[in-house]
Amino acid sequence: EVQLVESGGGLVQPGGSLKLSCAASGFTFSGSAMHWVRQASGKGLEWIGRIRSRVNGYATAYAATVTGRFTISRDDSKNTAYLQMNSLKTEDTAVYYCRRGVSGSDWGQGTLVTVSA
Amino acid sequence: DIQMTQSPSSLSASVGDRVTITCRASQSISNYLNWYQQKPGKAPNLLISPPSNLQSGVPSRFNGSGSGTDFTLTISDLQPEDFATYYCQQSYTTPDTFGQGTKLEIK
């Protein structure tokens, strides 16, 4: 059974940093691209970025709204993807999901990030 | 970026009804269109992946069609568990983008 479990969310002040983790199991993590998607309360889904697999050079891509502030990485030995978020803004407040692949049949349960003073 | 426009943004229907949700891309995405269902407090659930493939376990009353820029999700014989929010997503190019969602409510 595929499982994706996000962790690391919480309350952070504007300008602060937070690092989310996405622990994966039940599939060949090293061969999968991993994506991050967020959803503000009562709003729609926003793709944040992705990291490809080793054979694809661990290539990353980001949404314009987070470029330069967020960084996606992965540790294939730990079957874990990460989202490092710096210079956080109040508008970054959302539930953050990790997702396997571009046609996402597998999502985590989400972790809430609240950016507030 | 490719813009995805869904309509309507909300929809009221009754159990047993047939409803259609449309999704339009700002440029051709071939058939790289996914449909998701999301219920409150839950992650999105993939219903249909390209090219209009129904995911395992998804009832056959869900049907996706279209190509190019215009797509539809049709739900026949609505059941109580179908009342949720639906999103389209293009997976043709990065960044993958979502429609704004269609909230399907009980009339």
Side-chain angles (χ1 to χ4, degrees), chain A residues 35 37 39 43-47 50 52 61 97 99 102-105 107-109, chain B residues 34 36 38 41-44 46 49-50 55 87 89 91 94-96 98-100:
Chain A
H35 297 243
V37 177
Q39 186 171 38
K43 303 297 184 183
L45 299 163
E46 180 188 15
W47 180 87
R50 59 95 170 121
R52 286 182 167 160
Y97 297 100
R99 183 190 82 198
V102 65
S103 289
S105 59
W107 294 62
Q109 82 289 352
Chain B
N34 303 278
Y36 295 87
Q38 188 180 33
K42 300 293 187 181
L46 182 66
S49 63
Q55 293 299 288
Y87 293 94
Q89 174 224 7
S91 52
T94 299
D96 61 71
F98 294 88
Q100 78 276 21

Side-chain angles (χ1 to χ4, degrees), chain A residues 39-101:
Chain A
Q39 186 171 38
S41 180
K43 303 297 184 183
L45 299 163
E46 180 188 15
W47 180 87
I48 295 172
R50 59 95 170 121
I51 184 166
R52 286 182 167 160
S53 63
R54 178 176 176 272
V55 295
N56 290 300
Y58 296 128
T60 55
Y62 300 93
T65 53
V66 305
T67 294
R69 300 189 299 125
F70 289 12
T71 302
I72 298 173
S73 61
R74 63 190 295 159
D75 185 337
D76 290 346
S77 69
K78 295 182 178 179
N79 286 355
T80 301
Y82 303 97
L83 176 64
Q84 175 69 48
M85 304 184 292
N86 298 330
S87 303
L88 282 161
K89 306 175 182 180
T90 55
E91 53 263 41
D92 294 320
T93 295
V95 174
Y96 285 72
Y97 297 100
C98 61
R99 183 190 82 198
R100 176 172 76 125

Side-chain angles (χ1 to χ4, degrees), chain B residues 20-23 33 35 48 52 63-66 70-74:
Chain B
T20 298
I21 299 168
T22 65
C23 184
L33 196 283
W35 288 101
I48 294 171
S52 301
N63 182 65
S65 64
D70 294 311
F71 301 84
T72 60
L73 173 69
T74 300

Side-chain angles (χ1 to χ4, degrees), chain B residues 18-30:
Chain B
R18 179 176 182 266
V19 298
T20 298
I21 299 168
T22 65
C23 184
R24 175 165 288 176
S26 59
Q27 65 185 74
S28 177
I29 57 169
S30 184

